[in-house]
Amino acid sequence: MTETLKLPVLPLSDSVVLPGMVVPLRLDEAEIQSAVDAAGSADRKVLVVPRLDGKYAAIGTVAVLEQVGRLPSGEKAAVVRGETRAQIGSGVTGPGAALWVEATLVPDQPVTGRMTELAKEYKALVVGILQQRGAWQGIDSVQQITDPGQLADTAGWASYLDLEHKAQLLAETDVVKRLEQVVEWTKEHVAEQEVSEKISKDVREGMEKTQREFLLRQQLAAIRKELGEGEPEGSDDYRARVEAANLPEHVLKAALTEVGKLERASDQSPEAGWIRTWLDTVLDIPWNDRTTDADDLVAARAVLDADHAGLDDVKERLIEFLAVRSRRERKGMEKVGGRGSGAVLSLVGPPGVGKTSLGESVARALGRKFVRVALGGVRDEAEIRGHRRTYVGALPGRIVRAIREAGPMNPVVLLDEIDKVGSDFRGDPTAALLEVLDPAQNHTFRDHYLEVDLDLSDVLFLATANAFDTIPGPLLDRMEVVTLDGYTEAEKVAIARDHLLPRQVEKAGLEPSDVDFSDVALGMIAAEYTREAGVRQLERGLAKVLRKVAVALDSGTEAPIHVDADALVKYLGWPKFTPETAERTSTPGVATGL
């Protein structure tokens, strides 16, 4: 038989009172004060109802007004003890300003096996949480509760449940469902606690490890001081420099290992010197520095044309390289075979045609740094790959030294005279160059001295050679050959006028206004005084003429001195080579012999 009571409503907006809870309430709201005042007419009982978001719940808690008084701060307060759930019925009239309603008590449910099982599980969870907090009195109180419904209502004290959860518990009249809810919520809280405890433990252990290392280092320094050894020179400084440097992860790991060895080594050990030299080398290499390539093809072609006359096929190939690279970068495509365009260009041609100087022009056109590696006469493989660190005077190879000298990691590296690399019992340098020049391998180039992978995929390698025959086949296979056949007479005159003459005028100590060369004279020096593919002899001929001009000026001849065909005979003697074209074509059927 359900019992109905007529009770004043005490609404709460910031808390939920469940059966079994004893709660102090501030009497700071008119509705709460009215309910407390009216409780005298209802055997000191009130119906405590949650009012969340302005809405009254359908079920409240019948509570007994235990005490009314003041807090230490002087505010009026009351203490209520929740007794049982009650279903809120229709409003009725009652004394005072309070809201009166009919409340139907929710009857107790008989205890079942499922209830007991859930109650046991929930009790174990709550005891575990209280043990972590050291709340032993709370554990005793929970252990004494035998009623499953009463045990479920102890969740009203749980700090990890919010008002919504507690209002849900109050509204649930089925004890089994109520226990299932609190077990689920408590398990979630325990799981969260475990994760946050693990994170806190990891942080704490990390801090303890750092403090322990610091303490051990201080002790190590004190022991060294007692032994009179002192700290190995710069070991602390090296650790700070390595950690501050912007090194790739695999290089940083190797460098910190070496710093650890340096800190453990004594000053008398030769290994300390090797490690310091190695660390200096690693820190000097610009692991993550790069220059931005120019993407203006017209400007790049203008630079190449200004520096070199002719050589159209070479210039076109370089402009193609730039165009492909910039197009792929604009599209966000990855590199071809580990390299910007998959190209290693080899410039093959006779001496004096401008192969080496073309490398500098390419670097200027790209907006990159330029560095030259002379390979003529190199016979030791360690010159390319570096020496092992155990050798006295060990050094990194020429490739690593070139990148360190250039600054950024993407310079133009000119491998000069690659056809004149020798080989002997110390190894074959051309075999070591295979990895450097192979686009599929050079992104993990490993120098014997560094012993860490070095990415050469952004480096533009240009090789120069005088002849194909002496370049080994496997090495030639990894390069794209661009042939420079030499210059025509008209190109030589243009080169002499634009480049060679101004340079030799300055070298002879003259002013451009002191001498005047005719195009005929320049053409005669190119065709009748020199016979070559390049322009080196042409430059020497110009230098010889200008030296004689300097003597003439110092002897009193007035400037400017005009150099024409007749003056050339006076300065350079008779032509050494005569054109055979006229002789070949003057008489029909007659051929000129060698």
Side-chain angles (χ1 to χ4, degrees), residues 262-279:
L262 179 63
E263 288 170 344
R264 291 190 296 273
S266 71
D267 254 358
Q268 284 74 30
S269 168
E271 191 181 8
W274 301 341
I275 293 170
R276 275 196 287 272
T277 311
W278 183 85
L279 286 168

Side-chain angles (χ1 to χ4, degrees), residues 147-169:
D147 179 60
Q150 192 182 345
L151 184 68
D153 287 338
T154 59
W157 297 111
S159 58
Y160 53 86
L161 295 181
D162 58 22
L163 290 178
E164 295 284 343
H165 286 121
K166 290 174 184 177
Q168 229 173 306
L169 274 183

Side-chain angles (χ1 to χ4, degrees), residues 264-400:
R264 291 190 296 273
S266 71
D267 254 358
Q268 284 74 30
S269 168
E271 191 181 8
W274 301 341
I275 293 170
R276 275 196 287 272
T277 311
W278 183 85
L279 286 168
D280 286 335
T281 305
V282 168
L283 290 168
D284 278 349
I285 293 172
W287 296 96
N288 289 310
D289 295 346
R290 278 169 175 76
T291 51
T292 307
D293 283 352
D295 52 4
D296 188 345
L297 304 184
V298 177
R301 180 64 194 241
V303 170
L304 294 172
D305 284 339
D307 290 352
H308 291 81
L311 307 179
D312 283 335
D313 51 346
V314 185
K315 291 174 183 175
E316 281 173 16
R317 179 62 190 89
L318 292 168
I319 293 299
E320 287 164 13
F321 166 85
L322 262 181
V324 170
R325 187 184 178 90
S326 59
R327 176 170 286 275
R328 288 183 69 86
E329 280 186 1
R330 282 200 305 273
K331 289 186 175 182
M333 297 167 78
E334 60 185 35
K335 294 170 185 174
V336 183
R339 163 178 247 33
S341 76
V344 178
L345 302 181
S346 179
L347 309 173
V348 178
V353 294
K355 297 185 297 295
T356 304
S357 59
L358 193 62
E360 292 184 49
S361 299
V362 170
R364 278 211 310 131
L366 280 167
R368 291 190 181 195
K369 298 290 183 183
F370 173 75
V371 63
R372 178 174 164 270
V373 178
L375 296 179
V378 171
R379 292 176 297 172
D380 189 354
E381 180 200 344
E383 283 285 323
I384 306 299
R385 275 190 171 280
H387 306 80
R388 298 281 178 195
R389 269 194 285 165
T390 48
Y391 296 122
V392 177
L395 283 170
R398 291 196 178 199
I399 304 299
V400 173

Side-chain angles (χ1 to χ4, degrees), residues 478-495:
R478 282 161 172 81
M479 301 187 291
E480 182 178 335
V481 176
V482 180
T483 311
L484 283 71
D485 295 324
Y487 299 106
T488 63
E489 187 180 321
E491 286 171 345
K492 285 183 182 180
V493 170
I495 292 167

